[in-house]
């Protein structure tokens, strides 16, 4: 299907899919909130995803 055959809804759906893949937007806001909480918790406890000395 080419862009000329796609409807506006098709284009929006494709762009939204690309956005979610690029920025990790979740369908489930609670899942995203939990992931953010866990990342903050681990950072506060000194667990880092980056190697090397803590700054």
């Amino acid at each position: 299907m080419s862009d000329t055959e796609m409807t506006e809804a098709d284009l929006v759906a494709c762009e939204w899919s690309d956005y979610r893949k690029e920025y990790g937007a979740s369908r489930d806001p609670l899942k995203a909130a939990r992931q953010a909480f866990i990342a903050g918790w681990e950072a506060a406890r000194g667990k880092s995803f980056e190697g090397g000395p803590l700054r």
Side-chain angles (χ1 to χ4, degrees):
M1 185 182 288
S2 70
D3 283 350
T4 57
E5 298 172 6
M6 295 177 76
T7 65
E8 184 70 16
D10 293 333
L11 292 170
V12 169
C14 288
E15 290 300 319
W16 174 241
S17 176
D18 291 346
Y19 176 87
R20 287 184 58 228
K21 289 176 189 170
E22 182 72 24
Y23 298 103
S26 173
R27 290 178 190 231
D28 183 1
L30 187 56
K31 180 180 177 183
R34 184 175 189 283
Q35 288 174 333
F37 172 80
I38 295 298
W41 179 270
E42 290 177 347
R45 297 281 196 157
K47 182 177 177 185
S48 177
F49 63 90
E50 298 175 342
L54 293 177
R55 295 184 184 120

